[in-house]
Amino acid sequence: FVKKLMKELKTAAVDSLGLDQDDQSPSDHSYLFEKETQFMRTGAWCILEGLAGCSHKGTSNTQSSSNRNQTDTAFDLVKAVTRSKIDGGFLTSAWEKFRKLRGDDNTPDDSKHQLSASTRACLRVMAKLASLVPKAAANETLNEMKSFLLSNSINPDVIAACVSALTALSATVAKNPKEAKAVCGDWSRRIFARCEELLGMFVTSPLKASEESSVTSVTRALFTIGEVAMVGFFADDDGRDNMEVDVKADETEWVRGMRVSPSPKLLSLVQILLPPKLPAMGADEPVHTPSTARALAFVALGK
């Protein structure tokens, strides 16, 4: 049953994005927004995301003699996809198609919300199944994601999922956990440096605070800072006696405890956005800090 389910979900995900329609021109995708196709796409990615969310490796239970040597019957998505002989490369192809559809002017406005939700789902599934993505495709996608984050061109609604996928792909392209951490650390530092530039330009030019494009840029940067700062953090870290990695517990354990700290200057720039008004910086009077920027600055600082 599981093998059949995995294959059906993969087929629905691929068909609903037209990934096999190589002969179609880039703008000829109106058929992808027919009602039935949208339902199939939303449903397929929603189920895959749900399976990814509840997936984890089973562990042996040795807490009591009655349960000793019994194995947890938890669902493992990686194992299920592997047994179904599904090539994980469809995930990177889907991400690429979602990205193009979201940025296409011909995409119907009433379909953009659904595309955003399915894009997040795709990235979360990719983060879980990154080890099954062919290395060449993983490397290409990793470089694309880095480029988009560095250019500050990813919408806030998918930044968190993108950072998670980028982290997982770092392990796919690396030879070992040590190299994976190095890859992860490199793009984290580069993204922090780029965000520092963007916040610096915003803070030193207060009049830009009223420009929609500038507010959008600083909002994305703040969101990105917060998500990159969380790389290596796990919800169960509080109260944990040590950070020893148990790679058998979960595929993402290699990154546990990794910390790439933002520079003091970046922290200072984030703090400048906390008060209701920005420093005058040569202007006649202080300019009001955009409420969205203030809110995200508090969140980013907390992370």
Side-chain angles (χ1 to χ4, degrees), residues 34-41:
E34 294 174 358
K35 193 173 183 179
E36 294 77 8
T37 304
Q38 291 199 85
F39 283 160
M40 179 168 65
R41 181 169 56 243

Side-chain angles (χ1 to χ4, degrees), residues 95-146:
W95 146 256
E96 180 70 15
K97 190 60 174 281
F98 275 127
R99 187 182 65 78
K100 290 180 179 179
L101 290 176
R102 282 163 56 89
D104 196 314
D105 293 336
N106 293 319
T107 297
D109 290 338
D110 57 0
S111 297
K112 291 182 178 179
H113 177 74
Q114 175 270 333
L115 280 176
S116 295
S118 294
T119 302
R120 286 194 301 273
C122 174
L123 289 169
R124 288 166 181 163
V125 175
M126 189 188 301
K128 176 60 69 172
L129 300 178
S131 61
L132 304 183
V133 176
K135 195 165 185 175
N139 192 59
E140 182 179 352
T141 300
L142 181 144
N143 288 327
E144 286 181 350
M145 288 182 176
K146 284 194 299 184

Side-chain angles (χ1 to χ4, degrees), residues 13 18 23 33 87 107 126 163 231 260 284:
D23 57 332
F33 300 104
D87 184 349
T107 297
M126 189 188 301
V163 171
V231 172
V260 178
D284 294 335

Side-chain angles (χ1 to χ4, degrees), residues 164-183:
S164 295
L166 185 57
T167 302
L169 290 173
S170 297
T172 304
V173 302
K175 297 178 181 178
N176 51 58
K178 183 177 181 180
E179 185 177 316
K181 285 189 176 182
V183 172

